[in-house]
Amino acid sequence: MNQEITRIRTEQRPQSRPRSVAEPPAPVRQFSVQLSATRRGARLGRLLVTEQLRSWGLPFEAAAQIVAELAANAALHGCVPGRDFRIVVTVTAADTGEDTLRIEAIDTRGERLPDVRRSPSPDDESGRGLLMVAALADRWGVTTGPPPRKTVWAELTPTW
């Protein structure tokens, strides 16, 4: 398992100064883990994020499903031999009092973006994962760069 994890970082930062409207909210909590681009790495990512959310006292059921899908996609479709992928989970506090949970899967196949235009047929064995992410998350998307990276992210408001 130590070979699977090259670095785990957990941070808690209080907001120290008022921010302007143009600034994004500062992270309150952040968890980051680099994993091997394998099924085992994807599973470990889901388990580690679930445990981290539990330790923060946040609901983790929907987030665990999102992490499972994004990590599996990074390991399957974003895999480059010899390169890992990273899962980053950030909690930010909004001025409205609602927290936002952002889940990111970062891989090194920036040229291979998710294809969500195609609807899977009833006989297809795959192709429904990002539909599930869209249903569970408030927002999701893809950000490219710096080369050769891409980040597939999802945001949701934790509810109890």
Side-chain angles (χ1 to χ4, degrees):
M1 185 155 87
N2 288 339
Q3 294 172 346
E4 293 285 326
I5 305 171
T6 57
R7 186 174 71 162
I8 296 178
R9 183 181 75 215
T10 303
E11 300 175 1
Q12 293 188 7
R13 290 183 231 145
Q15 276 186 288
S16 58
R17 62 180 174 82
R19 57 187 172 82
S20 70
V21 176
E23 282 185 68
V28 175
R29 296 180 179 129
Q30 187 174 44
F31 173 79
S32 177
V33 61
Q34 186 170 331
L35 301 152
S36 64
T38 62
R39 287 182 177 183
R40 183 178 177 193
R43 180 178 178 272
L44 182 58
R46 177 183 54 82
L47 293 171
L48 290 171
V49 169
T50 299
E51 189 54 40
Q52 186 62 54
L53 293 174
R54 184 178 314 186
S55 74
W56 288 341
L58 294 173
F60 55 85
E61 292 82 8
Q65 294 298 316
I66 292 171
V67 169
E69 181 56 33
L70 297 185
N73 283 352
L76 180 65
H77 304 295
C79 179
V80 174
R83 295 204 178 157
D84 298 335
F85 74 97
R86 178 174 295 282
I87 298 289
V88 179
V89 178
T90 307
V91 179
T92 55
D95 293 334
T96 61
E98 290 186 346
D99 290 343
T100 298
L101 175 65
R102 182 177 174 103
I103 301 163
E104 300 177 341
I106 305 160
D107 66 50
T108 53
R109 290 288 300 266
E111 78 284 355
R112 194 167 183 187
L113 300 177
D115 182 13
V116 293
R117 293 169 288 162
R118 182 182 78 79
S119 294
S121 72
D123 296 332
D124 285 346
E125 293 183 10
S126 63
R128 293 173 184 81
L130 290 175
L131 296 174
M132 181 184 68
V133 169
L136 293 171
D138 298 330
R139 293 166 296 288
W140 78 275
V142 180
T143 307
T144 57
R149 289 188 219 152
K150 94 169 158 281
T151 301
V152 182
W153 56 269
E155 292 181 344
L156 59 140
T157 303
T159 56
W160 285 265

